Amino acid sequence: MSDVSGNQLAKVSKLFEALDEAGRHKLLGLAKKTRHPDGFVICQEGEVGDEFYVLVAGRVRVSADDLGESKEIAVLEKGAFFGEMAVLNHEKRSATVTALGEIELVRFPRAAVDQVLAEYPAAKEMLSKVGVMRSEEALAKLMS
Ligand code: CMP
């Protein structure tokens, strides 16, 4: 990918600090940068998910179904990553993620993520911990 370097991504997103430059380079070689308008749905709760995302510009809303109504769980800002749960655990998407205004994403296919995380267990552990924490938070929000 030409316009985002490994070092830039490390600055944008903490996660990439757990990789070295070679790991970031490998991952970025398999990534795609995309831009989307306000309201664009990046992933939908209940669907199969095989991509992992880093938000490089803008904000997104994370929401989930609560007895037939969409309930906001979180708002993520530039530098945040999402989509880790379905990719790591081979589960359906746990929430719907929608653009709040214009956004830019870096998208990583599961195969790239699997390959790199196999070599960087610290990054894998961090991602799965965040996933567990987020699902507990989401559950607490939905029960409140
Ligand atoms: P995944 O289940 O693959 O797709 C939806 C994503 O929303 C999920 O991965 C997380 O990245 C994100 N998500 C779910 N719950 C929360 C939460 N409580 N806070 C922030 N992000 C969340």
Side-chain angles (χ1 to χ4, degrees):
M1 207 171 44
S2 57
D3 48 355
V4 179
S5 76
N7 282 330
Q8 277 171 320
L9 203 56
K11 279 187 202 130
V12 174
S13 190
K14 284 243 166 247
L15 168 72
F16 290 86
E17 289 174 3
L19 306 179
D20 56 17
E21 185 55 26
R24 289 195 284 264
H25 189 77
K26 198 169 187 178
L27 204 52
L28 279 171
L30 301 158
K32 251 190 346 204
K33 195 173 175 192
T34 56
R35 185 178 293 209
H36 306 282
D38 182 35
F40 181 81
V41 177
I42 304 131
C43 63
Q44 187 102 43
E45 182 179 3
E47 287 186 354
V48 172
D50 50 17
E51 269 187 326
F52 170 72
Y53 311 90
V54 174
L55 186 60
V56 290
R59 297 189 313 148
V60 295
R61 175 178 188 262
V62 180
S63 59
D65 178 78
D66 183 23
L67 303 175
E69 277 184 35
S70 164
K71 192 163 182 179
E72 182 170 302
I73 292 173
V75 171
L76 300 175
E77 311 267 343
K78 171 184 168 178
F81 57 81
F82 59 94
E84 75 288 353
M85 297 188 196
V87 166
L88 277 182
N89 309 323
H90 295 249
E91 285 168 358
K92 301 266 167 75
R93 295 292 186 197
S94 63
T96 297
V97 183
T98 312
L100 284 174
E102 203 175 279
I103 60 160
E104 269 177 40
L105 296 174
V106 179
R107 299 170 170 247
F108 301 94
R110 165 180 284 139
V113 176
D114 281 351
Q115 197 189 330
V116 172
L117 292 186
E119 288 175 40
Y120 296 86
K124 185 168 188 176
E125 203 183 314
M126 175 188 163
L127 260 195
S128 35
K129 276 190 185 152
V130 170
V132 170
M133 209 178 70
R134 284 176 168 176
S135 42
E136 283 168 2
E137 274 172 21
L139 199 64
K141 278 263 161 73
L142 291 175
M143 301 210 331
S144 66

